[in-house]
Amino acid sequence: MNSKLSAVAEAGAADDAPPWWHQWRVWRDQLLGSARFHRFAAAFPLTRPIARRRARGLFDLMAGFVYSQVLMACVQMRLFDILAEGPQSLQALCRRLDLAEPQALRLLSAAVALDLVERRGAAYGLGSLGAVMVGNTALVAMIEHHASLYRDLADPVSLLRGERPPTELGSYWAYADNAAAGELGAQRVADYSALMAASQPLIADQVLDAYPIGRHRCLLDVGGGEGVFLCAAARRAPSLRLMLLDLPAVAERARSRFAAAGIADRAEAIGGDFLNRPLPTGADVASLVRVMFDHHDDNAMRILRAVRAALPADGTLLVAEPMAGTKGAEPMGDAYFGFYLMAMGSGRSRTPQRLSEMLQAAGFGAIRQVPTRIPLQTGLLVARCTSV
């Protein structure tokens, strides 16, 4: 065995796989790194489709930023809304987009290649992905928000090494890893609260379609933002009492939303800091919707223990957020959210297994993962209180 194979076998000794499996992986890696093998694989009929698919996959990783900027340009110029009116000629689109013909054609050709737009004879119409964008305010808001993320990731190595100055995302999400979050004023919470409110309806529907919230009498939404999730729960369960806890300035925004929705008589918004003060009691079910992954493990455990202390002995907790290791959406957890949360300066994407371990440590049991219709958007864990 050569030294490289020996080193890999030693590194994999703690793995359950047998030594020959690690040795095979080294041989495979050496083969895939061979220019001679690349030429053979691209020419041989049985391996040619695989070689092309992997070449396309690697190129898409390299070009992903450019693709996202094409999407950003389409969103900022309202191209999808324009095409929703019906197919448009190139000349008409030049006028509507305020672009010269060569530049309009460049944008449209790129959008066609990405299935955002499609050619319809001499005109252009919505593509299969572009059609999804029409009226999708949540997705539009997130796409526009990503301009800050792209700037923060301009030098990823420096960010990984902690050599970057404070990031835009760290400033935007003002509560993240902020011991004085409870003192944030209305202006500091306005932008991120509005973004969360815009993106919340899709998540709320996923959770409420998967779990019958109407079986409970009172729901406490911890870190509930402007109250979008509770408004959705109120529509599903007309007799359900509702409580929301968030920072004082955010809770004030929730009160306005509850009043506008006509549920102020059964929905209460409480201002407070769930990391430093006990949670309100009286609910038999609590929800953490996209809250846990904003926090590192120590703070996440503080949140779980605070929720457990606020619930009765037969209480239930719903944990809803995008989860690492989601089948079919693996890059979402560790790649996208891993780097997004690093730029934000707080939080961690966790697998259902890791979340379950934390729930058990905080005094919850009977933990089960409930399928949602679009797991990429959110996963859902349901846990019951145990003796503490």
Side-chain angles (χ1 to χ4, degrees):
M1 184 187 304
N2 65 35
S3 58
K4 183 178 290 187
L5 291 177
S6 177
V8 172
E10 181 180 348
D15 199 330
D16 291 336
W20 65 263
W21 177 251
H22 300 289
Q23 296 166 19
W24 179 86
R25 284 179 173 176
V26 172
W27 175 81
R28 179 204 62 185
D29 294 344
Q30 292 173 337
L31 186 65
L32 292 177
S34 164
R36 181 178 179 183
F37 177 75
H38 291 173
R39 291 193 299 272
F40 166 78
F44 187 57
L46 294 180
T47 56
R48 186 183 302 142
I50 299 173
R52 291 178 177 177
R53 185 167 61 250
R54 289 182 174 170
R56 166 66 188 269
L58 189 58
F59 182 85
D60 283 345
L61 287 177
M62 179 186 71
F65 176 74
V66 178
Y67 300 162
S68 67
Q69 294 304 89
V70 172
L71 176 60
M72 178 78 80
C74 292
V75 166
Q76 291 180 336
M77 303 181 84
R78 299 185 60 253
L79 177 60
F80 306 124
D81 293 332
I82 292 170
L83 293 179
E85 300 170 8
Q88 309 271 328
S89 69
L90 175 60
Q91 293 72 28
L93 288 171
C94 288
R95 293 191 296 271
R96 300 286 297 274
L97 301 175
D98 191 25
L99 290 176
E101 186 170 311
Q103 282 68 42
L105 186 59
R106 189 181 298 271
L107 174 63
L108 291 167
S109 297
V112 168
L114 297 175
D115 295 327
L116 297 167
V117 172
E118 66 181 21
R119 287 293 302 267
R120 300 185 183 179
Y124 293 87
L126 288 168
S128 59
L129 297 181
V132 177
M133 294 295 305
V134 177
N136 194 332
T137 56
L139 193 51
V140 167
M142 287 303 298
I143 290 169
E144 292 180 328
H145 166 68
H146 274 68
S148 295
L149 175 62
Y150 299 150
R151 287 189 287 270
D152 284 343
L153 294 182
D155 187 351
V157 174
S158 293
L159 191 63
L160 285 162
R161 292 174 174 166
E163 299 170 352
R164 288 286 308 277
T167 61
E168 288 190 31
L169 290 187
S171 176
Y172 184 86
W173 300 106
Y175 63 82
D177 204 24
N178 183 354
E183 301 172 11
L184 293 172
Q187 187 173 0
R188 290 289 282 128
V189 306
D191 287 346
Y192 81 73
S193 295
L195 177 64
M196 291 300 292
S199 61
Q200 195 82 322
L202 293 177
I203 306 301
D205 285 342
Q206 292 287 313
V207 174
L208 296 171
D209 286 343
Y211 185 82
I213 199 67
R215 66 175 57 173
H216 296 281
R217 57 177 176 76
C218 183
L219 167 61
L220 169 64
D221 192 20
V222 181
E226 294 189 8
V228 172
F229 180 70
L230 287 189
C231 286
R235 292 191 293 271
R236 302 289 185 105
S239 63
L240 185 68
R241 285 185 51 238
L242 309 158
M243 294 193 297
L244 177 146
L245 178 75
D246 212 309
L247 300 176
V250 180
E252 186 60 37
R253 296 172 69 92
R255 292 186 193 104
S256 298
R257 183 176 291 273
F258 293 157
I263 60 171
D265 59 333
R266 61 185 176 112
E268 180 183 8
I270 302 163
D273 183 352
F274 53 62
L275 286 174
N276 297 304
R277 293 185 180 179
L279 304 185
T281 59
D284 63 323
V285 60
S287 54
L288 292 167
V289 182
R290 297 191 298 181
V291 170
M292 289 283 287
F293 77 162
D294 277 354
H295 299 275
H296 295 307
D297 282 357
D298 288 346
N299 281 347
M301 285 303 304
R302 291 170 68 184
I303 295 169
L304 289 177
R305 292 190 178 104
V307 173
R308 175 62 189 87
L311 288 173
D314 59 348
T316 300
L317 172 61
L318 311 180
V319 176
E321 62 187 44
M323 296 180 187
T326 297
K327 188 174 181 180
E330 290 83 357
M332 175 270 298
D334 288 327
Y336 173 78
F337 278 113
F339 271 65
Y340 185 102
L341 294 170
M342 177 177 64
M344 178 174 155
S346 177
R348 181 170 301 160
S349 179
R350 301 177 178 91
T351 64
Q353 292 75 19
R354 175 56 183 152
L355 287 168
S356 296
E357 292 170 358
M358 296 173 74
L359 285 163
Q360 288 179 331
F364 293 92
I367 302 162
R368 59 191 176 95
Q369 186 171 8
V370 179
T372 57
R373 293 182 178 177
I374 306 179
L376 182 145
Q377 291 179 350
T378 189
L380 176 62
L381 294 179
V382 178
R384 299 296 301 274
C385 292
T386 58
S387 299
V388 293

